[in-house]
Amino acid sequence: MNFTYQRNKEDVLVHSIWHRMIKSKFNLALNIIFPVFGLASLFGAIGIDSDPIMYVAVGYLICYPLITYGFIKLRIHTIFKNPDLVFDITTYTISAAGINTSSDKGVFLLEWTELYQIYETKGYIYLYLDKRNSLLFNKTALGEEQTIAVKELIKQYAPSHTIKFK
């Protein structure tokens, strides 16, 4: 199977949000627990003489997911302001040997055994090389038929313990 794709700002933003806020169970728990604890503290403080700094802390806890999202979005926006930033158009060839990526910067063969984890979300397939670095396939750009074919190749050749499909 062979296809070509160029990542864009939206791909990087969606991947960063997913990686930092949802993939990690610890961060996902913080995104839920902090606002719940903040609301519980706020309701518990009603009618009690409290230090104003407590309300700042409670506000931070309640807004923690929004603050995290805002910082991610700001970072991605700052990166893409750089006029020298250009994502190569990359050609992916998926075969029994692995995933071959080729662009202006060179050619790289990612063997199936080198994959750390493989995730599928609503819009993307993420192939992690390690805990932080990944290839991403945009399902919309691939189309439904090619997405199904990619998933079948992954299920056929990738080690089963790396696949985290729903």
Side-chain angles (χ1 to χ4, degrees):
M1 164 175 271
N2 197 5
F3 61 93
T4 302
Y5 186 69
Q6 182 178 15
R7 288 185 303 164
N8 56 33
K9 183 178 180 178
E10 180 184 336
D11 292 336
V12 176
L13 178 64
V14 168
H15 177 254
S16 294
I17 290 169
W18 182 79
H19 180 79
R20 292 195 182 16
M21 295 183 76
I22 299 169
K23 179 185 176 263
S24 167
K25 301 301 181 214
F26 178 74
N27 288 339
L28 182 60
L30 290 180
N31 286 324
I32 295 169
I33 292 170
F34 278 9
V36 169
F37 183 70
L39 287 172
S41 298
L42 182 63
F43 291 131
I46 294 175
I48 298 174
D49 222 9
S50 299
D51 190 8
I53 194 75
M54 186 201 84
Y55 292 107
V56 172
V58 167
Y60 173 77
L61 289 173
I62 293 171
C63 296
Y64 177 77
L66 296 173
I67 292 168
T68 304
Y69 174 79
F71 278 127
I72 292 170
K73 197 162 182 166
L74 178 67
R75 180 176 164 262
I76 299 301
H77 181 68
T78 303
I79 290 170
F80 277 87
K81 272 185 155 179
N82 181 356
D84 297 331
L85 178 70
V86 176
F87 281 111
D88 290 348
I89 296 175
T90 306
T91 301
Y92 298 96
T93 305
I94 303 174
S95 65
I99 301 164
N100 190 35
T101 60
S102 62
S103 68
D104 294 342
K105 293 182 182 174
V107 177
F108 175 73
L109 175 64
L110 174 64
E111 294 179 11
W112 292 109
T113 57
E114 294 175 9
L115 288 170
Y116 179 70
Q117 290 176 328
I118 305 168
Y119 290 92
E120 178 186 21
T121 63
K122 183 178 176 182
Y124 295 90
I125 297 173
Y126 299 105
L127 299 123
Y128 275 84
L129 310 167
D130 54 34
K131 286 187 177 187
R132 292 182 177 219
N133 300 306
S134 66
L135 296 175
L136 64 102
F137 299 154
N138 185 324
K139 289 176 160 182
T140 305
L142 278 174
E144 189 174 333
E145 288 180 20
Q146 279 192 317
T147 298
I148 293 169
V150 167
K151 286 174 58 174
E152 290 302 317
L153 287 169
I154 288 170
K155 288 176 184 176
Q156 183 177 359
Y157 295 114
S160 60
H161 69 277
T162 63
I163 301 172
K164 309 292 184 192
F165 290 166
K166 293 178 183 177

